[in-house]
Amino acid sequence: MRDILDTVRAWRQHDDAVGLATVVDVRRSAPRQPGAAMAVSAAGEVIGSVSGGCVEGAVFDVAQQVMASHQPQLVTYGISDDEAMAVGLTCGGEIELFIERLDSRSRAQIDAVADAIAAEAPLALATVIAGPADIAAKLAVTETDVVGTLGDEGLDAAVGDDARGMLEQGATAQRRYGRHGERRRDEVTVFIESFAPRPRMYVFGAIDFAAAVARIGSYLGYHVTVCDARAVFATRKRFPEADDVVVEWPHRFLASAPVDRRTTICVLTHDPKFDVPVLEIALRSDASYVGAMGSRRTHEDRMQRLREQGLTDRELARLHSPIGLDLGARTPEETAVSIAAEIIQSRWGGPGLPLRATSGAIHRHADRVRSAGGVLSA
């Protein structure tokens, strides 16, 4: 819902009712993952997608019914029947959608989500989607507070605990409880969606390639910081797409910058006095991806310098250098695409081959998406 939330809030300023369809479960191959959403305004406008086009027409009709009846629906779409022209997925998967009417009842929780996203603060949104509980009731859960109720104090407590745990992992999924929050029972189904802050991307070296990497990093959903010790190059004018532009020696900045398991670090400095000290810190950090630009000769020289600094073979093996996948890139923009492709490939474990050269399910990473949370979905 993150990517459509601003539009949904704007619609609700003019008309209280909005139909919201959210993917709450996926089985086998499917184009969108849990948390993907599509909204329908009272005027019939549509934003977002739940299937990449396969079932959106049918979902639009159900959303209109839900807005008129005030009755949420839990619907499932499976494999389409081409001959019968039945609505469904051509990819062979199955998706489950919860379609609800957003009105004044859920305003506080939706506003809490929007405020948390704007502040880049973690928040989980829990929605009852099935069972004898209050269907469509919502609970917004932060690390220290809750907004709303699911209709039962015990259920609120159990869901709040689970939501905080899932938020720590960036997970989005269904959970089942008894009517009063009892564990190991499945009377009530709750969909818990994590809205973790954007992961960080640090780009070191204020060069033209860095501008292209900052643009694509922002497009992929990262909070992008460009850092360079040279004030004449590290300017907001040269890097308008970056969230932050910092004038500082890269290793000094990184030594105090927040780094976690979702952080991406791209070292594009081309200068040993800059890149060796910052890579020494980066390769010993929790960052999920560390890449460095340079020729193969530069790479070998850099590796030797890093060994002299005491880095182990295991630490050096984390370095993606020369940075990027071999796409035959030439321009800064093409190079940025190759770097982004390697970041994605590193994150999800794809082989980096043309799809026509592979076999099996294309969307085979559904479970990993569900547990990893965030850059490309939700």
Side-chain angles (χ1 to χ4, degrees):
M1 183 169 62
R2 182 194 297 267
D3 55 344
I4 66 172
L5 190 55
D6 287 345
T7 299
V8 168
R9 296 185 82 194
W11 285 347
R12 294 181 66 183
Q13 290 180 354
H14 303 288
D15 192 298
D16 193 47
V18 172
L20 178 69
T22 305
V23 178
V24 296
D25 197 15
V26 168
R27 291 174 281 276
R28 298 185 300 277
S29 179
R32 303 299 304 275
Q33 297 302 313
M38 167 182 150
V40 179
S41 74
E45 298 176 273
V46 177
I47 187 170
S49 172
V50 292
S51 73
C54 304
V55 302
E56 269 72 3
V59 173
F60 175 85
D61 293 338
V62 177
Q64 297 275 36
Q65 297 170 17
V66 167
M67 281 193 288
S69 68
H70 294 244
Q71 297 298 315
Q73 294 189 37
L74 190 62
V75 299
T76 299
Y77 295 98
I79 302 171
S80 64
D81 185 339
D82 293 334
E83 294 184 4
M85 300 298 290
V87 175
L89 304 178
T90 59
C91 57
E94 188 175 275
I95 59 173
E96 188 174 36
L97 305 176
F98 183 67
I99 305 176
E100 61 185 308
R101 173 189 168 110
L102 295 182
D103 50 31
S104 57
R105 177 191 182 200
S106 57
R107 184 178 298 278
Q109 293 90 331
I110 298 301
D111 287 347
V113 173
D115 292 344
I117 290 174
E120 300 211 358
L123 178 143
L125 182 65
T127 304
V128 177
I129 62 174
D134 189 4
I135 303 299
K138 295 184 183 296
L139 190 72
V141 182
T142 69
E143 294 173 334
T144 59
D145 198 12
V146 297
V147 176
T149 178
L150 303 182
D152 181 89
E153 185 176 342
L155 184 60
D156 287 348
V159 171
D161 286 344
D162 284 352
R164 290 188 178 97
M166 293 172 65
L167 188 58
E168 178 69 22
Q169 300 174 5
T172 290
Q174 295 182 24
R175 292 289 184 268
R176 291 175 173 81
Y177 308 88
R179 296 187 182 199
H180 307 294
E182 299 93 336
R183 304 290 180 176
R184 299 185 180 181
R185 296 176 66 173
D186 58 2
E187 296 165 300
V188 179
T189 303
V190 179
F191 179 66
I192 302 175
E193 183 175 5
S194 293
F195 294 90
R198 288 182 295 165
R200 301 175 185 89
M201 173 183 282
Y202 297 126
V203 182
F204 295 105
I207 62 176
D208 50 357
F209 288 92
V213 171
R215 282 197 296 274
I216 202 165
S218 178
Y219 177 75
L220 290 177
Y222 286 94
H223 181 109
V224 180
T225 298
V226 175
C227 175
D228 196 297
R230 303 165 297 178
V232 67
F233 295 112
T235 65
R236 171 60 61 184
K237 184 176 181 179
R238 296 189 70 227
F239 299 96
E241 287 86 1
D243 295 280
D244 303 298
V245 179
V246 177
V247 179
E248 179 59 278
W249 279 76
H251 70 284
R252 292 176 183 169
F253 169 79
L254 189 60
S256 60
V259 175
D260 58 29
R261 289 173 296 176
R262 301 190 303 153
T263 302
T264 288
I265 298 173
C266 299
V267 178
L268 314 179
T269 46
H270 282 301
D271 189 330
K273 70 175 178 290
F274 291 121
D275 58 21
V276 171
V278 74
L279 284 172
E280 181 181 355
I281 296 172
L283 293 172
R284 287 171 171 162
S285 74
D286 291 332
S288 62
Y289 175 91
V290 180
M293 179 174 281
S295 66
R296 299 190 190 282
R297 180 177 178 179
T298 297
H299 168 71
E300 292 302 325
D301 176 72
R302 181 190 294 133
M303 293 289 279
Q304 180 59 38
R305 292 173 184 267
L306 289 169
R307 289 190 182 95
E308 292 172 357
Q309 296 301 313
L311 272 77
T312 66
D313 289 343
R314 183 174 182 178
E315 291 168 336
L316 292 173
R318 300 183 59 212
L319 179 60
H320 295 264
S321 174
I323 195 171
L325 297 186
D326 185 2
L327 305 181
R330 293 291 184 272
T331 67
E333 291 75 19
E334 291 175 346
T335 301
V337 170
S338 79
I339 294 171
E342 185 176 54
I343 291 170
I344 296 169
Q345 187 266 346
S346 175
R347 182 183 184 196
W348 300 122
L353 299 172
L355 286 172
R356 66 182 181 183
T358 64
S359 60
I362 294 175
H363 304 287
R364 64 191 181 281
H365 58 275
D367 290 338
R368 297 186 65 186
V369 172
R370 199 171 306 165
S371 62
V375 180
L376 306 175
S377 62

